[in-house]
Amino acid sequence: MVKFTVVSGNASTDLAKRIARRLKSPYIKTEKKVFPDGESKITINQIPKKSVVVVVQSTYPPVDSNLLELLSIVSKIQKFSSKVYAVIPYMGYARQDREFLGGEIVTIGVVGKLLKSAGVKKVLTVDIHSKLALKELKISSENISAMNVLVKHFEKLKMKDPLVVSPDMGGQERAEKFANLLKTDFIALKKHRDRKTGKVNILSDKVDVKNRDLILVDDMISTGGSIVKATQFLKKQKCKRVFVACTHALLVNDAAKKIKKAGVSQIVSTNTIPGESGKVDVSRVIADALK
Ligand code: R5P
C-alpha cells in the first residue's frame, strides 16, 4: 500500500485535513506570514517521513500569492520525497488556456512549467475549466469530477420537474453528465462574452422552461456575470426556481449579492474554495483518486 503524507497550503487547510483523514495519513500544516511589503514567508515545521507527499493548495484569489506558496512548499518538500504530488482543487489560470486575442499569453502553460520545475511529479485537480487547460499544463495530471457529489446533494432537495441548464455551449457536456446522473434532461444556452470588456450576453431565443425548477450548472462562478444574465433570461421565460450548482465558487466582490438579486434561490458549490456556499465535500473523490 502507498504511504502518503498530506501537507496543506494555507488556502486549503480544511480540505487537506479531510483528505489526510480519508487516506489515514499524517497531516502537516504550514505557516504563512505576510510582511508589510506583501512578501510572504512560508514555514514547514515538520519534515515528512518517507512517503508520497501530497501538497494541497487551491489557487483562488490572491491567485499569484497562493500559487507561489504552493511552489515554495513543493520546492522544499521535494528534498525529502522523490514523489511530490500537487492537489490543486481549484486551478487558477485554467481559463487562460488559449490565445483568444493576438498576443495573449497562455498562462496555464507557464503554471505547468513552474510546477514541474518546483518538483511536482503529478497534478490532481477538480473540474478544470477545459480539457485544453489540462493539456497545456504539459505535466502528468488527472482531472477529478465533482459532478457525482454535487448531484447527490441535489437529489436530496425537493425540486419540481428539474431541468439542468448550462449557461453556455462550452458547458454542454458537463450539463449532460449532471442531467444523466439526476435522471432528467438538459439544455445549453448560447452565451457571448466580449473578449475585451468581459461583458456577457445570452443570445438564445425562447426556451421551454415554464413551471420547471432549473439547475444552472457551471464549473465556476467568478464575477457572477454569466449566472446573472442566464437567470434573468430564464426568469423571463417563466421558469420556477433557479438553483446554481458549481464546483468552484470564487464569487469575487459582490457576486453572491448580484446572483441573489437576479432571483437565484440557492448557490451550491464544493469546498475546493472555502466559503458559505461550499456545502459539498470533495475530499472523498480526491482521496479515492490518490489511492
Ligand atoms: C466560462 O466559460 C466559465 O465556464 C464560467 O461560466 C465563467 O468563467 C464564469 O465567470 P463569471 O462568473 O465572471 O461570468
Side-chain angles (χ1 to χ4, degrees):
M1 220 169 85
V2 189
K3 271 193 185 162
F4 292 102
T5 301
V6 178
V7 178
S8 70
N10 286 273
S12 297
T13 41
D14 180 62
L15 183 53
K17 263 187 230 162
R18 288 170 185 267
I19 295 169
R21 242 180 276 142
R22 295 205 184 260
L23 292 171
K24 297 188 175 49
S25 302
Y27 164 72
I28 298 176
K29 191 179 174 318
T30 57
E31 272 165 35
K32 179 178 184 172
K33 181 181 173 193
V34 181
F35 292 105
D37 62 0
E39 284 183 7
S40 45
K41 182 171 79 176
I42 318 297
T43 311
I44 305 170
N45 291 321
Q46 217 181 313
I47 302 300
K49 296 218 174 86
K50 205 175 175 317
S51 56
V52 174
V53 180
V54 178
V55 182
V56 186
Q57 171 87 330
S58 272
T59 52
Y60 57 83
V63 182
D64 296 343
S65 171
N66 284 336
L67 175 62
L68 189 60
E69 182 183 339
L70 168 64
L71 296 165
S72 305
I73 297 169
V74 171
S75 64
K76 177 83 173 176
I77 293 291
Q78 54 91 33
K79 294 186 177 130
F80 310 104
S81 169
S82 57
K83 262 195 182 165
V84 183
Y85 293 172
V87 170
I88 312 175
Y90 168 67
M91 177 74 76
Y93 285 112
R95 286 187 295 176
Q96 296 189 41
D97 59 357
R98 67 201 81 187
E99 195 175 331
F100 290 101
L101 299 176
E104 285 180 0
I105 291 159
V106 182
T107 307
I108 193 66
V110 181
V111 171
K113 280 185 199 157
L114 291 170
L115 291 167
K116 205 170 185 172
S117 66
V120 172
K121 291 288 181 294
K122 187 177 176 182
V123 171
L124 286 98
T125 186
V126 183
D127 290 334
I128 193 165
H129 176 65
S130 68
K131 285 182 188 150
L132 185 58
L134 201 66
K135 193 170 151 237
E136 287 296 336
L137 278 173
K138 295 196 174 76
I139 186 168
S140 164
S141 55
E142 187 174 340
N143 182 44
I144 303 158
S145 171
M147 286 304 120
N148 274 292
V149 277
L150 274 166
V151 168
K152 283 213 171 84
H153 182 94
F154 277 88
E155 278 168 350
K156 286 185 229 137
L157 303 180
K158 287 201 174 77
M159 306 198 68
K160 188 178 181 296
D161 192 14
L163 171 70
V164 176
V165 183
S166 170
D168 54 46
M169 288 297 175
Q172 204 165 351
E173 214 180 289
R174 188 179 305 118
E176 184 173 12
K177 185 170 178 188
F178 197 101
N180 287 343
L181 290 165
L182 197 64
K183 298 189 177 56
T184 187
D185 45 347
F186 78 98
I187 56 167
L189 303 179
K190 276 190 209 133
K191 176 180 100 177
H192 173 261
R193 186 187 291 274
D194 185 306
R195 287 280 155 210
K196 282 210 171 110
T197 63
K199 267 194 121 186
V200 166
N201 272 310
I202 302 296
L203 307 176
S204 296
D205 297 328
K206 230 180 122 38
V207 286
D208 188 10
V209 294
K210 206 169 170 195
N211 284 329
R212 295 185 76 173
D213 276 340
L214 308 181
I215 310 169
L216 272 167
V217 176
D218 213 342
D219 58 330
M220 60 188 287
I221 306 172
S222 180
T223 63
S226 306
I227 294 296
V228 166
K229 289 285 176 168
T231 305
Q232 287 167 343
F233 169 78
L234 294 162
K235 287 272 175 183
K236 273 192 202 141
Q237 315 276 322
K238 305 269 181 296
C239 66
K240 279 189 86 80
R241 296 172 299 172
V242 177
F243 292 79
V244 174
C246 78
T247 309
H248 316 291
L250 288 167
L251 295 170
V252 299
N253 303 327
D254 56 350
K257 225 168 146 188
K258 285 195 286 187
I259 290 171
K260 221 170 167 199
K261 201 171 158 221
V264 167
S265 305
Q266 210 181 320
I267 305 171
V268 177
S269 68
T270 76
N271 56 350
T272 58
I273 297 172
E276 209 188 304
S277 62
K279 301 175 181 82
V280 175
D281 181 20
V282 288
S283 63
R284 187 181 54 76
V285 283
I286 293 175
D288 286 350
L290 284 161
K291 278 181 205 163

